[in-house]
Amino acid sequence: RDVPLMPSLADKLNKVYTSAPVLPYDKNSRIVIMSDCHRGQGNGADNFLPNSPIFQGALEYYYKNGFTYIELGDGDELWENRCIHTIIRTYSHIFRLMNRFYQDNRLYMIYGNHDIVKKRKNFSASNCTNYSCDVTEPEDYFYKDLKITEGIILENKDTLQRILLIHGHQGSLLNDELWPLGRFLVRYVWKPLETIGFRAPTGSGRSVKLVEKIEKKLCSYSRETNRIVIAGHTHRPVFPNPGSCPYFNDGSCVHPYSITCLEIENDQIALVRWSFSTTEDRLLFISREVLNGPENLSDFILD
């Protein structure tokens, strides 16, 4: 059952929908949607670190197969960490790969609550604009020119069907309206506790009831506006059945030893998981597994 929709959430998402850039696509387009990487500094509080090889392997696959990469917020952990340049140095190999997407016009980003500072005009100003500070020649740095927005609209060139992409934190008091307070608590309370082994409430330690509450609100908005909505934020994948509430969630890149994402190809959508697997000869490799779908996107428009 849908919960009553908070007017503030509807107002915020309608505003995002009105101002979001439109990205056209067709049946030949290949799009992968990920979120909540929470790339950190490689320390004990870096939830991305265990899955970084999986993420790199998945991203290499998507680059070689002509996919456009869309990141739905919280790509970099900028609540726990003050500066982006340390994160860039820690994952220089991944940022170089992401820059290849950017150079091919195949990279788009949305900011979430944990990287909301990316909406600031002076965000790219950094003491270190190279992927590695010991290089002698300047490198490309896509954050300098990439326009990072609160939402993106995917529009089918043929049918004009639209999909709203957001992070999903909108309407939350601590993650949206009072995000500086949320950042303070994460940076100075939860980060030290996480370093010694506690689970932060922004990740796997988040309340299941809170996740369900967020999902019901987004589902209500999706149903009432008859718009397909794809979000992140909750870290829990959602793939509805055709004819039901058209709300999807790509999950996150910080699941235990796996990452999930959504693929759009041939006007169809699928939920995919990447993880470590082994061969019969006990060789370790990174595997791709389709969890749900593919389903026709046209089947998710309600009558």
Side-chain angles (χ1 to χ4, degrees):
R1 179 184 174 186
D2 296 339
V3 298
L5 186 62
M6 290 179 57
S8 60
L9 175 62
D11 292 342
K12 283 180 175 293
L13 294 186
N14 285 334
K15 185 177 179 180
V16 172
Y17 186 84
T18 302
S19 60
V22 177
L23 178 61
Y25 76 98
D26 57 31
K27 63 180 181 180
N28 297 315
S29 300
R30 289 182 166 186
I31 300 171
V32 57
I33 301 171
M34 296 186 185
S35 72
D36 298 277
C37 300
H38 293 276
R39 291 179 290 265
Q41 298 183 355
N43 54 20
D46 186 353
N47 295 320
F48 177 72
L49 183 62
N51 286 348
S52 58
I54 301 175
F55 180 83
Q56 181 182 357
L59 218 57
E60 288 175 348
Y61 168 88
Y62 290 125
Y63 181 79
K64 291 178 181 178
N65 286 279
F67 280 77
T68 292
Y69 174 63
I70 301 179
E71 193 167 272
L72 295 190
D74 286 4
D76 300 302
E77 181 49 71
L78 296 173
W79 273 13
E80 292 183 359
N81 308 296
R82 288 180 175 272
C83 301
I84 186 70
H85 64 265
T86 306
I87 298 173
I88 291 174
R89 292 202 308 270
T90 301
Y91 296 109
S92 59
H93 56 298
I94 287 176
F95 279 93
R96 286 193 177 97
L97 179 55
M98 292 171 68
N99 188 62
R100 294 170 66 187
F101 280 90
Y102 175 72
Q103 295 298 325
D104 291 349
N105 296 315
R106 290 194 277 143
L107 177 67
Y108 297 86
M109 284 187 172
I110 290 172
Y111 60 79
N113 53 308
H114 279 245
D115 56 1
I116 197 171
V117 294
K118 289 178 179 177
K119 69 178 181 179
R120 296 174 177 171
K121 293 182 179 179
N122 64 348
F123 164 71
S124 62
S126 174
N127 294 325
C128 175
T129 57
N130 293 321
Y131 298 124
S132 298
C133 285
D134 55 355
V135 299
T136 57
E137 296 181 1
E139 296 180 290
D140 293 322
Y141 183 64
F142 61 82
Y143 274 140
K144 292 188 299 181
D145 303 309
L146 183 65
K147 184 177 181 181
I148 303 174
T149 59
E150 190 174 0
I152 293 174
I153 294 174
L154 294 178
E155 183 177 77
N156 189 299
K157 295 178 182 178
D158 300 318
T159 66
L160 301 183
Q161 182 183 30
R162 285 188 161 195
I163 304 170
L164 176 61
L165 308 183
I166 56 172
H167 179 62
H169 66 289
Q170 290 83 359
S172 168
L173 184 64
L174 196 60
N175 290 311
D176 188 6
E177 299 292 339
L178 300 180
W179 70 263
L181 175 60
R183 181 178 64 178
F184 175 86
L185 293 174
V186 168
R187 183 173 294 175
Y188 298 108
V189 178
W190 284 110
K191 181 181 179 181
L193 293 175
E194 196 175 10
T195 302
I196 61 175
F198 285 85
R199 294 187 303 169
T202 55
S204 58
R206 180 182 276 125
S207 165
V208 174
K209 289 185 178 180
L210 177 58
V211 169
E212 292 176 347
K213 184 178 180 181
I214 295 171
E215 290 175 348
K216 288 179 180 179
K217 289 178 179 178
L218 291 173
C219 184
S220 293
Y221 175 82
S222 179
R223 183 185 298 277
E224 292 184 12
T225 59
N226 197 18
R227 294 170 182 165
I228 297 176
V229 175
I230 298 179
H233 185 55
T234 65
H235 294 197
R236 185 160 78 169
V238 174
F239 195 93
N241 294 320
S244 62
C245 170
Y247 158 69
F248 294 81
N249 196 296
D250 62 5
S252 81
C253 295
V254 291
H255 300 295
Y257 305 106
S258 68
I259 66 177
T260 56
C261 59
L262 292 167
E263 294 180 2
I264 295 177
E265 186 177 4
N266 297 320
D267 286 340
Q268 295 180 317
I269 187 168
L271 176 66
V272 172
R273 177 171 61 196
W274 291 84
S275 60
F276 288 120
S277 297
T278 57
T279 66
E280 293 181 357
D281 298 327
R282 296 176 300 282
L283 297 177
L284 196 66
F285 71 99
I286 298 170
S287 66
R288 172 184 173 275
E289 177 186 4
V290 177
L291 299 179
N292 295 96
E295 298 284 353
N296 294 324
L297 282 165
S298 59
D299 293 338
F300 290 94
I301 294 297
L302 303 178
D303 296 328

